[in-house]
Amino acid sequence: MSKNKHKSDKHKKARPFPTREEILGFIDAADGKVSKREIARAFHIRGDDRALLKHLLAEMKSDGTLVQDAGRALRQPDDLPAVTVIEITGIDPYGDLTARAVKWEGDGDHLPIYLTPKRGRQFKPLAPGDRVLARLTKNRDADGPHYVANVVKVLENAPQSILGIYEGGESGGNIKPTDRKVRDEYFVSSADANGAEHGMLVLAKEVRDPAAKRFKRMKKAVVVECLGDLNAPKSISLIAIHHHGIPMDFPEDVLEQAKKATAAPIEGRTDLRDIPLVTIDPVDARDHDDAIFAEADTDPNNPGGWHIIIAIADVAHYVTTNSPIDKEARKRGNSCYFPDRVVPMLPEELSTDLCSLKPGVDRAAMACHIWLDKDGNKKRHKFERIIMRSDANISYQDVQAAIDGTQFTETSERLLEPVLKPLYGAWQALMAAREKRSPLELDVAERKIILSQAGQVEEIALRDRLDAHRVVEEYMIIANVAAAEELEKHQVPCMYRVHEEPPMDKVEHLREFLKTLDISLAKGQVLRPALFNNILAKVKDKPIADLVNTVVLRTQTQAYYSPENQGHFGLALQKYAHFTSPIRRYSDLLVHRGLVKALKLGNDGLTDEQAEKMSFIGEEISKTERRAMAAERESNDRYLAAFLADKVDQDFKGRISGVTRFGLFITLNHSAADGFVPMASLFGDFYEHDEKNHQLVGKRFGNTFQLGQEVEVKLVDVDKTTGSLRLEMQNLPFSGGHKGKRSKSRRPQKGTPKKGNVRRRGKRQ
């Protein structure tokens, strides 16, 4: 054994002393921390040679070849310390967080930094601007050299962007955030007020101030932009837009590219300008991205069948992959619609002009031809790029009035026989197929906010639900199905619109809830939309219909975008993709590009790079869709709050739309505004929250507040800043009994409630 050891020592001593280049190469290739000890071990340096190594390393540090960190780690000047402070900068196309070193003194940029998935100790999700202490490891793979960062400690979160009301004057003041979730107020010095006046809506940025938390001081902020009077109509939607980070202004390179765009050439496209395709839209629509046509099928083998055409604006021709417009469209994900404005996905030069299927103007489009049998079943389909000329743009109301024979415009009368009646004929066939398929048929009323020219709320109206709407809807659905089938057939990646079946825990909650209404939902049944439709049919035209529709709706999952096909439960379809609105949805643009690639219709189809990133893009645009929905909902809340501001202390009838252990959410009947009744205001009883049955149940008097129940409330307070309404319940038990239902299974009880129950004394708290 000692003999072998002696040979090993002799071999080590025989190795030549490392050169500068070899030491640098070793440090560069090392994955972790490198000190003098690691170098000595790697090159088997012992005895007197250690002094030589120490001298060489000192020379290399002296002439700037090496740098030594506080922890004795050696690195090259252009390398980052093994442990350093980094700031999160964003998310790459694969979903990994990227970062930069906070203190960087090297020439040019350092290697990219990517954060590893969290292991061991868990931290709150990080966001751009957050600063962390991280341990860096240099990595080399197919993507090139980079650093992998493991978070050691979160040092500080990013300065927050604040939208709020400035309260103060020239000598400074405070900002009250408009976001109801933010409880902090921010101090603004006179130097940082940027001209803000008392009561003005401002956009501000939090100032990093570690002492604020340590000494419990008010947080500091600097005003970035003054947005004007809070009560100005335009401020209402601006609040929601800023809260959710929705981009409003297009970058200069995007606008420049849009202005240079010219009409697509006719060459290489099928000419359908002689076919009377029509666009059917709301009266106030500014863009028209779909046109439809129908005629009886002349094929003798398809008696009673139909040939329909769905023509969609050819946005893919104008928005090519990785162009400035494309990058901005992907960032936005979709257009956002507010009562007073639209924040478009594409610049107006495209969305309301070149890509809009205007009447009497040549426009490039992607056409989907579909042949139906007499029962509305699709026999075959075909996609092609076309040049079309819309015969007319006509509103839903004018179409319906012409079909009903109640009123005609010059256009609707001209189109009635040759265009509108065939459209309805093919639709009736499609409805026969729909009825057989039995998609989910929820009946939930929708309201819209109508503004005056001055931007004030003029009316809260129910949205029309005409047959004309259903006609266009069914044409779009069948085209979306055809697009998904075509891409799957050619094995080209498809961005599916996925709506999964409800999770079993939600179905179980629904089952328990329906029991309280003496409606059974048997266990073990295969989940299909028809199952829910049967329940809805049982309560149709009954007082509990709205309640059951609401609970069934809440049982459903939220739809999303994904290249993995999971079907569309609500529509009862196995293959479904959004194809019909590429002006306002990025998902549809991807489907168009997929069809161009699959059918070899041009060189502007889906690229391999985008195909590889489909999963990540699907997650991105699903988030932007949810962002838009939340912003639109918040904007509506603030408009409704402004509408009701002068109606404080008035009584309203409404319906309970949410039951929590903190209180009740009430939707007012006429306006559909949502308000909150705090638990503390339900004096006169002790209330338990029955989550399973969506109820608050009084322990003493058995009074019950249940989801969907009609109630009478008083409007106590309106906060126009946050859009919230505070309500009080009228006719509580101690004042003569509630007009609603009482629990049959409970008797008045004495004494205090059991531990864990929500206790409310018989007076205001």
Side-chain angles (χ1 to χ4, degrees):
M1 182 175 178
S2 61
K3 188 176 180 180
N4 291 336
K5 183 178 182 298
H6 179 72
K7 287 183 177 180
S8 177
D9 290 344
K10 185 178 180 181
H11 176 70
K12 289 178 181 177
K13 290 179 181 178
R15 292 191 61 176
F17 193 82
T19 64
R20 282 172 164 249
E21 288 71 23
E22 287 174 327
I23 290 175
L24 290 174
F26 171 72
I27 292 174
D28 187 56
D31 289 334
K33 174 182 175 182
V34 177
S35 66
K36 185 178 72 172
R37 179 178 295 180
E38 277 72 38
I39 296 173
R41 285 177 178 173
F43 292 99
H44 311 300
I45 297 173
R46 296 187 171 192
D48 295 340
D49 285 347
R50 286 180 176 272
L52 291 175
L53 176 63
K54 181 178 180 180
H55 180 72
L56 176 59
L57 294 178
E59 281 186 352
M60 294 176 74
K61 286 187 286 182
S62 177
D63 63 22
T65 307
L66 285 180
V67 175
Q68 185 170 14
D69 296 332
R72 294 180 177 272
L74 295 164
R75 59 181 172 85
Q76 296 188 51
D78 290 338
D79 285 345
L80 292 172
V83 178
T84 191
V85 177
I86 61 174
E87 182 176 300
I88 311 303
T89 55
I91 304 175
D92 77 347
Y94 299 97
D96 295 325
L97 287 172
T98 59
R100 68 171 183 84
V102 173
K103 293 183 179 179
W104 169 242
E105 299 174 354
D107 295 330
D109 296 328
H110 55 67
L111 293 177
I113 303 174
Y114 299 97
L115 272 71
T116 60
K118 294 189 286 288
R119 294 176 183 172
R121 183 182 175 189
Q122 297 293 299
F123 298 102
K124 291 182 179 179
L126 298 173
D130 292 348
R131 291 185 175 184
V132 302
L133 183 67
R135 182 172 287 107
L136 302 182
T137 303
K138 192 178 287 186
N139 197 356
R140 293 169 179 79
D141 55 26
D143 294 328
H146 59 271
Y147 292 106
V148 175
N150 282 284
V151 177
V152 176
K153 182 180 180 181
V154 177
L155 301 177
E156 57 182 329
N157 296 114
Q160 297 298 306
S161 194
I162 309 143
L163 190 71
I165 308 304
Y166 181 73
E167 298 174 344
E170 295 180 358
S171 60
N174 299 337
I175 294 177
K176 179 184 177 183
T178 55
D179 189 343
R180 66 187 74 176
K181 297 177 184 176
V182 179
R183 299 181 182 274
D184 295 316
E185 290 194 10
Y186 295 81
F187 170 72
V188 178
S189 68
S190 57
D192 294 332
N194 198 19
E197 299 176 1
H198 182 78
M200 188 175 283
L201 180 68
V202 298
L203 182 65
K205 198 82 171 179
E206 181 184 348
V207 177
R208 292 186 190 271
D209 182 13
K213 184 176 181 181
R214 190 183 314 145
F215 298 107
K216 297 183 179 179
R217 296 174 183 167
M218 184 180 289
K219 295 181 178 180
K220 295 180 180 179
V222 55
V223 174
V224 176
E225 184 180 358
C226 298
L227 300 175
D229 183 4
L230 170 67
N231 296 314
K234 69 174 184 177
S235 297
I236 293 177
S237 56
L238 275 178
I239 293 174
I241 290 167
H242 279 283
H243 269 175
H244 294 275
I246 296 171
M248 282 190 64
D249 299 321
F250 287 97
E252 285 300 321
D253 58 343
V254 173
L255 293 174
E256 185 178 348
Q257 185 185 0
K259 289 174 183 176
K260 290 180 179 178
T262 56
I266 298 176
E267 291 76 17
R269 296 176 178 272
T270 304
D271 192 342
L272 298 186
R273 286 177 291 182
D274 291 336
I275 292 181
L277 287 149
V278 294
T279 57
I280 304 176
D281 290 296
V283 175
D284 56 353
R286 297 183 62 197
D287 57 69
H288 315 287
D289 53 7
D290 58 79
I292 54 178
F293 169 79
E295 63 182 354
D297 191 359
T298 56
D299 185 350
N301 296 318
N302 188 27
W306 295 91
H307 167 224
I308 64 175
I309 303 175
I310 302 95
I312 309 298
D314 191 357
V315 177
H317 172 80
Y318 298 98
V319 184
T320 54
T321 304
N322 286 332
S323 64
I325 295 179
D326 178 54
K327 291 177 180 177
E328 183 67 16
R330 177 175 155 182
K331 175 183 174 182
R332 294 174 179 235
N334 44 259
S335 298
C336 302
Y337 295 84
F338 301 94
D340 67 326
R341 74 185 71 206
V342 175
V343 180
M345 184 180 80
L346 302 176
E348 289 192 354
E349 287 82 358
L350 298 182
S351 61
T352 63
D353 190 6
L354 285 178
C355 293
S356 185
L357 307 181
K358 295 180 176 181
V361 180
D362 289 359
R363 285 290 181 257
M366 178 79 78
C368 176
H369 297 259
I370 296 177
W371 287 266
L372 307 168
D373 66 18
K374 61 182 177 61
D375 297 318
N377 300 305
K378 182 168 69 68
K379 293 177 67 67
R380 61 190 176 93
H381 66 256
K382 180 182 75 172
F383 286 91
E384 61 181 356
R385 278 180 140 169
I386 66 168
I387 284 289
M388 59 161 287
R389 186 180 294 161
S390 172
D391 190 279
N393 173 247
I394 185 169
S395 71
Y396 289 108
Q397 291 77 9
D398 286 347
V399 169
Q400 194 62 54
I403 289 291
D404 294 340
T406 57
Q407 187 175 347
F408 294 94
T409 64
E410 181 180 343
T411 300
S412 65
E413 187 172 19
R414 173 176 65 83
L415 296 176
L416 180 61
E417 293 297 332
V419 176
L420 300 184
K421 285 189 175 180
L423 286 174
Y424 271 66
W427 168 67
Q428 288 167 351
L430 286 168
M431 288 301 288
R434 179 187 175 94
E435 186 175 348
K436 185 177 180 180
R437 195 175 78 242
S438 191
L440 188 60
E441 301 285 2
L442 286 166
D443 184 15
V444 180
E446 289 186 60
R447 286 173 171 79
K448 64 178 179 178
I449 297 172
I450 299 173
L451 303 180
S452 66
Q453 288 187 344
Q456 306 292 342
V457 179
E458 191 172 71
E459 183 184 357
I460 311 295
L462 280 172
R463 287 191 181 276
D464 293 329
R465 186 60 176 158
L466 307 172
D467 281 349
H469 290 93
R470 296 182 175 93
V471 169
V472 175
E473 184 179 282
E474 289 303 314
Y475 278 64
M476 299 304 115
I477 289 173
I478 194 70
N480 288 338
V481 171
E485 290 179 350
E486 191 71 15
L487 292 176
E488 198 166 300
K489 172 186 172 183
H490 290 274
Q491 298 183 332
V492 171
C494 174
M495 188 62 78
Y496 294 97
R497 180 62 168 176
V498 177
H499 183 228
E500 298 184 52
E501 66 180 33
M504 291 311 300
D505 60 334
K506 285 191 174 184
V507 175
E508 187 58 34
H509 286 160
L510 175 64
R511 182 179 289 110
E512 293 297 324
F513 169 71
L514 291 174
K515 278 184 184 178
T516 67
L517 303 176
D518 296 324
I519 299 173
S520 63
L521 177 60
K523 292 187 177 183
Q525 299 186 66
V526 177
L527 282 182
R528 292 193 179 94
L531 183 67
F532 297 105
N533 290 340
N534 290 336
I535 294 168
L536 298 175
K538 291 177 182 178
V539 299
K540 189 175 182 180
D541 299 326
K542 293 183 179 180
I544 60 173
D546 288 341
L547 166 63
V548 175
N549 270 274
T550 299
V551 179
V552 169
L553 174 62
R554 293 180 180 181
T555 303
Q556 308 305 309
T557 60
Q558 189 171 34
Y560 61 93
Y561 294 105
S562 173
E564 301 296 327
N565 185 20
Q566 303 293 331
H568 198 294
F569 178 82
L571 291 174
L573 293 168
Q574 292 299 314
K575 301 170 186 176
Y576 193 70
H578 277 163
F579 158 76
T580 54
S581 294
I583 288 178
R584 61 185 180 91
R585 292 189 304 227
Y586 196 77
S587 58
D588 304 50
L589 176 56
L590 291 173
V591 170
H592 277 239
R593 288 175 179 165
L595 291 168
V596 171
K597 177 183 176 69
L599 301 172
K600 297 179 174 57
L601 297 176
N603 58 6
D604 47 4
L606 190 71
T607 64
D608 292 340
E609 181 188 5
Q610 277 209 319
E612 291 175 1
K613 298 176 182 176
M614 289 285 271
S615 292
F616 177 68
I617 296 174
E619 293 175 7
E620 270 188 333
I621 59 180
S622 295
K623 288 177 182 177
T624 59
E625 180 186 51
R626 290 191 290 270
R627 177 181 70 180
M629 291 170 63
E632 290 163 10
R633 185 168 57 247
E634 284 185 19
S635 178
N636 286 346
D637 286 346
R638 289 187 175 89
Y639 269 108
L640 291 171
F643 178 65
L644 295 169
D646 61 351
K647 299 174 177 60
V648 172
D649 290 333
Q650 292 186 21
D651 291 348
F652 295 88
K653 293 187 182 298
R655 192 176 295 275
I656 297 176
S657 56
V659 181
T660 75
R661 63 190 181 92
F662 304 108
L664 302 167
F665 289 96
I666 311 294
T667 300
L668 304 183
N669 285 353
H670 172 66
S671 64
D674 290 315
F676 186 65
V677 177
M679 182 74 81
S681 70
L682 296 175
F683 40 87
D685 208 337
F686 302 93
Y687 286 90
E688 276 186 322
H689 178 215
D690 182 351
E691 184 177 6
K692 186 183 294 184
N693 295 314
H694 307 277
Q695 295 177 338
L696 290 183
V697 181
K699 291 285 289 181
R700 287 186 173 180
F701 302 107
N703 195 59
T704 301
F705 295 106
Q706 184 177 39
L707 185 71
Q709 179 180 333
E710 289 190 355
V711 293
E712 187 174 331
V713 293
K714 175 185 284 188
L715 179 60
V716 178
D717 184 53
V718 175
D719 189 336
K720 292 191 290 185
T721 302
T722 62
S724 57
L725 312 176
R726 186 161 61 86
L727 309 171
E728 277 188 2
M729 196 69 68
Q730 299 294 83
N731 305 315
L732 286 168
F734 76 94
S735 61
H738 191 273
K739 294 180 181 180
K741 60 185 288 186
R742 285 178 178 251
S743 171
K744 298 178 182 179
S745 61
R746 297 182 181 273
R747 296 179 179 179
Q749 299 180 21
K750 296 180 179 179
T752 58
K754 295 179 181 179
K755 185 178 180 181
N757 294 343
V758 179
R759 182 177 180 180
R760 297 289 176 251
R761 299 184 183 278
K763 61 180 180 179
R764 294 177 188 263
Q765 291 186 333

